[in-house]
Amino acid sequence: MATLQIREALRRAMREEMIRDPSVFLMGEEVAHYNGAYKVSQGMLEEFGELRVVDTPISEGGFAGLGVGAAMAGMRPIIEFMTWNFSFVAIDQVINSAAKIWQMSGGQYNIPMVFRGPNGLAENLGSQHSTAVDSIVAHFPGLKVVTYCDAHDAYGLLKSAIRDDNPVCFLESELTYGQKGEVPDQEFLIPLGQAKVRRPGKDLTILSWGKQVLMVEAAAAKLAEQGIEAEVVDLRSLRPLDQEAIYASVSRTRRCVVVHEGYLFAGVGAEIAARVQEVCFDHLDAPVLRVANRDINQPYATVLEKLVGPSIDRVLAAAHRVMGKASPAESTGTNALTP
Amino acid sequence: MKPESAPPDEPVESLDRLLRLPDPLPPCTRDELLGLYRQMALIRRVEELAAKAYTQRKILGFCHLYIGQESVAVGAAASTSDDYWITAYRDHGHAMAKGVSARAMMAELFGKRTGASQGQGGSMHIFDKSVRFMGGYGIVGAHVPMANGIAWAARAREEERVCVCFFGDGAANQGAFFEALCLAELYRLPVVFICENNGYAMGTPLHRQSAVTDMSLRARGVGMTREQLAGWDVQRVRQRVAAARQHALSGQGPVLLEIVTYRYRGHSMSDPAKYRPAGELEQVRERNDPLTLTRRDLQKDHGLDDAAIEAVLASVEEEADDSWAFAESSAEPDPATLYDFVYAPQTTSLAADTDLSAARPQES
Ligand SMILES: Cc1ncc(C[n+]2csc(CCOP(=O)(O)OP(=O)(O)O)c2C)c(N)n1
Ligand SMILES: [Mg+2]
């Protein structure tokens, strides 16, 4: 067992897969000589050389498309977006190419590639550098969407993503790259599409993914002090979605809160809430609530910024509501039902 | 093969259109040059204070400093002060050169409601409509196509104005940039594109981002007029931007200027800039520092003595310190304004109030 930072766990996954399979290569801005904007690929240029760890110009559409083409012709590219905010200038390649070619070609060309990079809220980066793309990439059939909250899962999931025979959008976070966790020395892979119960509980289910899981765990600890046992489930993969795990937990606890970055409107939480009410209707004791970003573009100033994303207080408020306990009215919310 | 009706191609050489206009402006007077010097010094001083405030966590997020490149924005402002400007995230110098006060600049960096963008934008997103500063943008290259629209509007409204669009050498590899050049030339838009080639995009030197390192050559493939110049001398930037502006306003189409410059600091406050060859920064600073060169011109050509220059620097120091104090003492944005910037208030009439009787009847 080793204690690794998340960036080290991701690097280990990429290194092992590159050693195992010569068709895997890493391409993106600053990944090689600069060792990665967030040092995820530190040392990889030295180990694998310039043909397998490749710096690019600021040409996301160009290198995302190159990745798709290379995947069609037998390689397994890992395309790094310095952050997912910059995938928007390349999103046509992700959605119109990577997601659709297997279907359009009648099953002749599959696209075994990974698009990866930090996603979602950071700190004081303002409107254009704080976007969560979860609901955008999860919207389209053909893409898999995977994320993690600790080093262990980061490693095991990225290995599976690289070996997956379809395009995988792998969502990371610059805020947690330095976070440490235990990772077994033995190689292991975590199948895509398996949720993980992070904390068992009987009173309500809180579903989340990505770095918000850590915040939700802290909220669950507070709820426990108040005598409320929340079950925390990390979905880990939005596509495929581990529906069975969701329904099993919610049917037992009879209450559900979904916590995520990005917006409520047409967000992934809306999809999950819809499915839960459809399947678990008879088991529910309360409406499914969602906690997500406030419905505004991200302001820079800290006083405003800290009001935007999901927070422990907002998760506690939602939990109290589904438990039928009154909680102080939301001062700045515009959504009557959802904190 | 082309259809017969197409006009004959011009000889390939003539498609490389160099900006041949001579310098259009009279040389700077003593006071003008002193003004440019003061503006460059103010930008540098405010940036130095911003760096200090960043280490004290008064400024957060990304912070990209303009130190070293001051002559580009200030020289350009000297000949396009009334025109539209749009730029990327390294925007503090441009904003100030265009007329954003040091106070509004610093307050935005501190995230205060008195900031140029009311604390909404932060370092990368300075805006000031009153001086036609159309913003700083965070997605590399993505603002370049907008310059065309700004120029389109200026021409449609018969304003004698160009849009000056600044971007980095790295941005000149972005798809949006190439598309924007094509459109600008096709529509003969009054845009002055300024590629500030500071040699690096983050940690990547120019020659590892582009097989062609004369970035003005990007103009050639679309038939755009171009020029490459060294940007160290603020007076030269002033003249060549004026020439580009004149060309663009004459209806002959846009101009791509590549202005060679250098950034002294890392890409952002979190970049130690270890990728530079030893001595490179020192050499540029010694030979080409825009402030030193202009100071020398002021002394040599206009007879200013050290005391006069030190007096200017003292007033700069004062103004910069004042901007810090102002930012520090300004109020933070009111949380009650959280939802104020989702939609602009509707001011255009939605009534069915149009007299259409004069309109040409639709043929059926
Ligand atoms: C589309 C996009 N890709 C990547 C980035 C990350 N990034 C920010 S600045 C930068 C380098 C830009 O270099 P250049 O255009 O030369 O401008 P300079 O920083 O030198 O002023 C990069 C890669 C981004 N902001 N947007
Ligand atoms: Mg540059």
Side-chain angles (χ1 to χ4, degrees), chain A residues 29 58 60 82 86 89 129, chain B residues 64 69 89-90 138-140 167-171 174 198 200-202 263 267:
Chain A
E29 289 155 20
I58 309 169
E60 283 84 358
M82 191 179 283
F86 314 144
V89 299
H129 282 74
Chain B
H64 310 85
Q69 303 183 208
Y89 47 85
R90 195 182 299 286
I139 305 301
V140 169
F167 50 91
D169 44 293
Q174 189 61 276
N198 60 11
Y200 294 88
M202 267 186 163
R263 72 163 148 74
H267 168 71

Side-chain angles (χ1 to χ4, degrees), chain B residues 264-281:
Chain B
Y264 291 1
R265 302 295 181 103
H267 168 71
S268 70
M269 284 300 295
S270 55
D271 168 27
K274 291 199 184 119
Y275 39 81
R276 300 204 252 234
E280 183 180 85
L281 166 65

Side-chain angles (χ1 to χ4, degrees), chain B residues 110 124 155 262 309 323 339:
Chain B
F110 278 53
M124 298 189 281
R155 188 174 65 183
Y262 197 79
I309 291 191
S323 74
Y339 289 93

Side-chain angles (χ1 to χ4, degrees), chain B residues 41-343:
Chain B
L42 180 63
I43 290 170
R44 183 166 297 186
R45 190 62 200 142
V46 167
E47 291 289 61
E48 284 166 358
L49 288 185
K52 188 169 148 197
Y54 193 89
T55 58
Q56 298 178 13
R57 296 193 52 79
K58 291 180 193 297
I59 298 172
L60 298 161
F62 290 154
C63 184
H64 310 85
L65 301 180
Y66 197 59
I67 297 177
Q69 303 183 208
E70 298 91 342
S71 49
V72 182
V74 172
S79 44
T80 61
S81 61
D82 196 41
D83 293 297
Y84 295 95
W85 277 26
I86 189 167
T87 187
Y89 47 85
R90 195 182 299 286
D91 58 353
H92 311 167
H94 304 93
M96 292 180 61
K98 193 69 176 68
V100 174
S101 71
R103 283 183 161 201
M105 180 71 236
M106 198 62 99
E108 187 60 33
L109 299 182
F110 278 53
K112 299 301 181 73
R113 68 172 86 157
T114 51
S117 310
Q118 298 201 38
Q120 288 282 330
S123 164
M124 298 189 281
H125 309 302
I126 310 292
F127 287 75
D128 189 343
K129 193 172 181 179
S130 71
V131 293
R132 297 193 185 83
F133 188 67
M134 318 287 277
Y137 295 86
I139 305 301
V140 169
H143 67 288
V144 183
M146 288 188 274
N148 287 343
I150 295 165
W152 183 288
R155 188 174 65 183
R157 292 152 55 95
E158 298 182 0
E159 298 174 19
E160 275 287 291
R161 293 199 179 94
V162 298
C163 181
V164 184
C165 176
F166 297 88
F167 50 91
D169 44 293
N173 299 302
Q174 189 61 276
F177 163 79
F178 286 92
E179 294 179 23
L181 288 201
C182 290
L183 266 66
E185 183 62 34
L186 180 69
Y187 298 139
R188 300 263 152 139
L189 292 168
V191 184
V192 176
F193 294 99
I194 297 185
C195 177
E196 286 187 74
N197 177 1
N198 60 11
Y200 294 88
M202 267 186 163
T204 307
L206 188 53
H207 67 88
R208 286 203 295 104
Q209 317 164 45
S210 173
V212 171
T213 55
D214 176 341
M215 300 313 262
S216 78
L217 282 170
R218 291 280 194 271
R220 213 174 145 167
V222 301
M224 191 182 292
T225 300
R226 69 179 182 99
E227 180 166 307
Q228 183 190 47
L229 67 140
W232 325 116
D233 176 2
V234 69
Q235 302 192 71
R236 182 152 171 70
V237 174
R238 168 180 171 269
Q239 289 288 8
R240 298 320 295 159
V241 172
R245 179 179 189 276
Q246 186 181 327
H247 178 95
L249 278 180
S250 72
Q252 297 176 76
V255 177
L256 173 60
L257 291 181
E258 177 196 354
I259 305 190
V260 177
T261 180
Y262 197 79
R263 72 163 148 74
Y264 291 1
R265 302 295 181 103
H267 168 71
S268 70
M269 284 300 295
S270 55
D271 168 27
K274 291 199 184 119
Y275 39 81
R276 300 204 252 234
E280 183 180 85
L281 166 65
E282 292 70 19
Q283 191 178 37
V284 174
R285 200 159 46 190
E286 196 171 307
R287 291 190 193 159
N288 295 327
D289 180 61
L291 273 98
T292 310
L293 294 181
T294 304
R295 180 180 176 135
R296 202 191 55 201
D297 288 348
L298 282 165
Q299 298 186 312
K300 193 164 54 75
D301 302 338
H302 299 285
L304 256 76
D305 58 13
D306 282 339
I309 291 191
E310 292 307 325
V312 167
L313 293 178
S315 84
V316 159
E317 186 88 19
E318 208 173 297
E319 187 173 343
D321 288 346
D322 165 74
S323 74
W324 177 305
F326 174 79
E328 183 110 74
S329 63
S330 290
E332 303 203 303
D334 181 354
T337 64
L338 196 60
Y339 289 93
D340 282 4
F341 300 104
V342 177
Y343 293 118

